[in-house]
Amino acid sequence: MAASPQQQGQGAQGGSGGGGWSPEQFWSLLDKADRRFARVRDLPLLGRQEPDAFAKAFRAYTQLWRMQQEHRHRLLDAGLRRWQVGEIAARIAHLYYAQYQRTADTALLSEAFVFYHAVLDRAYFVDADHHLTPAKHFRFLARFLLVALLLARRAHTVPRLAADIRALLEDSKKSFQEAEYKEWKHVVQEIFRFLRADSPFMNLRPLRYSYAFDLPPDKLPMVPPTVKKRGLVLSDAILCSYYPNEVKFTDLSIDVFRMLQCLEWEPCGSFALNNGYSAHDESGQNQPNLLKDLRDAALPPNPLKTILNRPSVTHFLTVLATKCEELPSNGIMLIYLSLAGETGTSGCCPDTGEKIMSNFSKFDISSTSHTSSKEDKEPCLWLGCRETEGSNCIYPGDLIPFTRKPLFLVIDSCISYAFKSIHGIERGETAAMLLSPSSRSSAAGFSGDSTRHTGSQFSMFLTAPLQAFCLLIGNSGTDINRDAYNKAEELLSLSLNEWATTLVASSSLHPVWVEVLGDPLLRRLLLRFIFCRATLSLFKPTSGKAEFLPTCMPPLPESVDAESMLSQSCMMRLASYFGAASQFAFAEITTWPDADAEEAGVTSSYGSANKDVPETARDSDISHSATSF
């Protein structure tokens, strides 16, 4: 990882001080820094090696920052503007964010937050005399908002930024040209659609793996030592989502935004358990400085993630091939595809998997024969608009060459069932697959076009399972009580741990799931899938309807099926707690194990207002020991 401005600072001091300093040196260095920043901005976000461009850009901006600190008055007299000082700080923040995109180190997000917050507090971009200021101000606010959302700073920072963006749009209406104004108005509309979808109900607990809610890895039920396992870990992920008119902000759809965080560790680790949920506000007063412990050294590294927004198939396959080539020997690659699908003219349905299998040779890249007959067209996923099929659609067979490496597939689409055909014809490694339902029912709490409004139901179950369950039974969470919600989280965690214990003790567990259970992040996805499958299987509007139920390949043991007594008991415990047992079709002999009698009648507590809802991370004091603004 490239050295940060603080780390580079001492080496830069010698170049910025001294009696021979002149403003011309500053302007020359500023021009050089701008060129280096442009190179960093244009770098592809691939590869495990940190490009030298990062270190060079950091070094240049460190020198600029120290120059303006040491010679502020002379530079102001020489024509330096406040917005230029703000731009230097904002670009340092952007470099931190770019490093986060490459390394997945969430500590870098906190560093970016510090610089962005300083620019906001000092109003560096509030300068009506400069004609570029409104556009620069918009870009700054949008980038800061994205960092604040990823860090879950929703109590004060996110609302403040949203209000500033709306006010700036109104104030800039006269200074913008009509086309530019419409463009920014569209961006602002996207932002507020995203914020409505990412409602406070979605943030009652962190989406990241947090020791405050999830068991530490050394406390998890593990597969017995006698079972042969390779010790694979999730090291890389490709996240791709595209639906027409989907809720998104920049290149992040709401589903990818949630999945991105779900595949990370909470930045402060165990520190957050003791300090991260203080009742104090985000102003920084009486607040522990989260930057004192950005990352618990005991936490594993986050997997590297590549986000693809509407890529062509060739670009998608290029990225996939590159990441597979660089995958560590003990690594697993996660591929998340949340895409619109087309069943094809043959009218395929979930029961026609054998037909898809028999026709795979038509799409095998090693096959010499290929048919373009519309009657034989296979289901496909759309990575973009449907004008050009060859460059925008992807078939299950396109992934087969990459099954030489361990793959964990999460397919969220109406034709997810088509990917079952991969099972059994992999090229070396059995692929683990979690496949969404092929249909979404409006009776199930999520309308058929819910992806355009709140995101996918299946993805929500994998990233925020309790919230998805509440929405399913008709509880919007607007008046949910924090204590009751926390109790519900405990009941869900109990059920997930019971499923995990059953899985690790099963003698029929497929080896690929043995490896998945060894990685805490993948284990959590698998257990939440089991919860999702049990919920939708027992929920009366979807019970017994295959098109509304998720599936997985290879199959899991029958002991965790929705029809098992364990799953029915776990579901009864949670549904009864919410007073929603009548909405589920439980077997008559289902019992409620290990539950206190008082837990069944807590529904009344949900009438109270949701006061003092904990935030996943509080805004920290902006003061930084190594940085002075």
Side-chain angles (χ1 to χ4, degrees), residues 494-517:
L494 176 62
S495 298
L496 296 177
N497 289 335
E498 290 177 354
W499 277 313
T501 302
T502 302
L503 279 178
V504 300
S506 174
S507 59
S508 60
L509 187 64
H510 193 282
V512 72
W513 297 124
V514 172
E515 300 298 338
V516 166
L517 288 173

Side-chain angles (χ1 to χ4, degrees), residues 32-308:
K32 181 190 296 185
D34 289 344
R35 292 195 302 271
R36 290 179 175 177
F37 180 83
R39 294 192 192 102
V40 170
R41 185 179 52 201
D42 296 336
L43 286 173
L45 297 175
L46 285 176
R48 293 181 173 272
Q49 297 298 322
E50 192 70 39
D52 292 338
F54 272 104
K56 292 179 179 179
F58 266 134
R59 190 177 303 114
Y61 279 103
T62 296
Q63 292 173 342
L64 284 172
W65 191 251
R66 291 196 174 276
M67 280 186 182
Q68 67 84 23
Q69 285 181 316
E70 297 171 4
H71 308 285
R72 174 72 63 88
H73 294 296
R74 290 182 61 186
L75 287 170
L76 290 175
D77 293 339
L80 180 67
R81 305 292 296 274
R82 295 189 76 251
W83 68 266
Q84 291 175 306
V85 178
E87 188 172 59
I88 294 172
R91 288 193 169 184
I92 292 173
H94 189 76
L95 288 172
Y96 273 124
Y97 178 69
Q99 278 190 300
Y100 160 74
Q101 289 180 296
R102 296 187 66 91
T103 65
D105 186 352
T106 45
L108 296 170
L109 281 177
S110 295
E111 295 282 6
F113 183 89
V114 170
F115 280 89
Y116 276 136
H117 206 298
V119 177
L120 183 69
D121 275 353
R122 287 152 183 78
Y124 281 125
F125 290 131
V126 181
D127 185 354
D129 294 334
H130 194 272
H131 70 283
L132 291 180
T133 296
K136 289 181 180 291
H137 200 175
F138 262 122
R139 285 192 291 270
F140 159 74
L141 291 174
R143 289 167 179 166
F144 187 13
L145 178 62
L146 180 58
V147 170
L149 284 169
L150 287 172
L151 285 175
R153 308 295 175 90
R154 293 174 175 90
H156 289 279
T157 303
V158 169
R160 176 184 177 184
L161 290 170
D164 287 351
I165 288 173
R166 190 192 295 273
L168 181 61
L169 182 67
E170 288 298 318
D171 294 341
S172 305
K173 187 172 184 179
K174 294 181 180 179
S175 59
F176 277 135
Q177 304 228 347
E178 182 178 358
E180 191 176 16
Y181 175 76
K182 288 182 178 179
E183 180 181 349
W184 281 111
K185 183 178 181 180
H186 177 71
V187 171
V188 172
Q189 289 171 343
E190 278 195 335
I191 288 173
F192 281 91
R193 281 185 66 206
F194 191 94
L195 293 179
R196 283 193 295 270
D198 187 48
S199 63
F201 179 60
M202 296 299 301
N203 306 307
L204 294 177
R205 63 154 290 173
L207 298 182
R208 294 184 174 90
Y209 198 110
S210 170
Y211 285 175
F213 297 92
D214 303 288
L215 286 177
D218 58 352
K219 303 291 184 181
L220 296 173
M222 300 304 295
V223 176
T226 55
V227 177
K228 183 179 180 180
K229 49 186 178 292
R230 297 155 60 188
L232 302 181
V233 297
L234 176 63
S235 61
D236 289 79
I238 295 177
L239 310 179
C240 184
S241 174
Y242 172 71
Y243 283 91
N245 300 319
E246 66 182 344
V247 178
K248 69 182 186 70
F249 177 30
T250 63
D251 289 342
L252 285 179
S253 71
I254 190 69
D255 292 331
V256 167
F257 172 75
R258 292 166 182 163
M259 186 61 68
L260 172 70
Q261 296 173 81
C262 185
L263 300 178
E264 293 181 344
W265 299 85
E266 185 68 9
C268 297
S270 57
F271 177 81
L273 181 61
N274 300 319
N275 301 295
Y277 296 93
S278 169
H280 299 297
D281 61 26
E282 294 182 339
S283 64
Q285 296 178 354
N286 300 320
Q287 176 89 12
N289 184 0
L290 297 185
L291 294 180
K292 290 172 58 181
D293 188 5
L294 288 174
R295 183 170 179 81
D296 191 321
L299 292 178
N302 290 326
L304 302 184
K305 295 172 289 295
T306 300
I307 297 171
L308 300 178

Side-chain angles (χ1 to χ4, degrees), residues 614-625:
E615 292 297 319
T616 60
R618 301 289 183 179
D619 283 1
S620 61
D621 188 348
I622 290 304
S623 61
H624 195 284
S625 59

Side-chain angles (χ1 to χ4, degrees), residues 364-610:
D364 192 332
I365 62 174
S366 63
S367 176
T368 58
S369 63
H370 178 77
T371 178
S372 60
S373 171
K374 291 185 177 180
E375 287 75 11
D376 294 326
K377 186 177 178 181
E378 298 295 339
C380 62
L381 297 175
W382 289 97
L383 295 171
C385 64
R386 305 191 180 192
E387 295 177 358
T388 308
E389 178 177 322
S391 62
N392 284 334
C393 68
I394 184 169
Y395 297 92
D398 291 329
L399 300 182
I400 292 178
F402 304 100
T403 56
R404 293 175 173 83
K405 295 294 182 74
L407 297 184
F408 187 99
L409 305 180
V410 179
I411 311 297
D412 191 349
S413 173
C414 62
I415 59 102
S416 61
Y417 57 84
F419 286 79
K420 290 182 181 180
S421 314
I422 296 176
H423 182 62
I425 59 173
E426 293 95 339
R427 293 295 187 256
E429 297 280 352
T430 301
M433 290 180 273
L434 304 182
L435 308 175
S436 73
S438 58
S439 298
R440 298 181 178 90
S441 171
S442 59
F446 290 80
S447 63
D449 63 346
S450 63
T451 303
R452 299 183 181 183
H453 302 290
T454 60
S456 164
Q457 179 192 46
F458 181 64
S459 292
M460 191 183 297
F461 263 104
L462 297 181
T463 57
L466 186 58
Q467 292 90 326
F469 180 85
C470 290
L471 290 177
L472 183 74
I473 63 177
N475 189 329
S476 64
T478 55
D479 59 351
I480 197 168
N481 176 269
R482 184 185 68 177
D483 293 335
Y485 185 87
N486 288 342
K487 183 62 177 178
E489 281 282 3
E490 294 176 6
L491 292 177
L492 175 59
S493 296
L494 176 62
S495 298
L496 296 177
N497 289 335
E498 290 177 354
W499 277 313
T501 302
T502 302
L503 279 178
V504 300
S506 174
S507 59
S508 60
L509 187 64
H510 193 282
V512 72
W513 297 124
V514 172
E515 300 298 338
V516 166
L517 288 173
D519 182 90
L521 298 176
L522 293 181
R523 168 198 287 254
R524 195 169 62 155
L525 288 178
L526 176 61
L527 296 179
R528 289 173 174 181
F529 168 83
I530 295 173
F531 171 63
C532 174
R533 185 177 63 176
T535 301
L536 296 178
S537 297
L538 298 175
F539 191 60
K540 288 182 178 179
T542 56
S543 179
K545 301 176 182 178
E547 66 271 21
F548 297 123
L549 306 180
T551 57
C552 66
M553 296 300 291
L556 289 167
E558 293 182 357
S559 55
V560 294
D561 283 349
E563 295 76 16
S564 68
M565 185 56 60
L566 170 62
S567 296
Q568 298 227 7
S569 298
C570 290
M571 291 306 305
M572 175 175 280
R573 177 167 51 207
L574 188 61
S576 298
Y577 180 80
F578 283 97
S582 61
Q583 299 185 45
F584 293 84
F586 294 113
E588 293 184 2
I589 59 173
T590 303
T591 59
W592 188 359
D594 303 327
D596 297 331
E598 61 187 22
E599 292 176 356
V602 197
T603 314
S604 59
S605 64
Y606 281 80
S608 58
N610 180 21

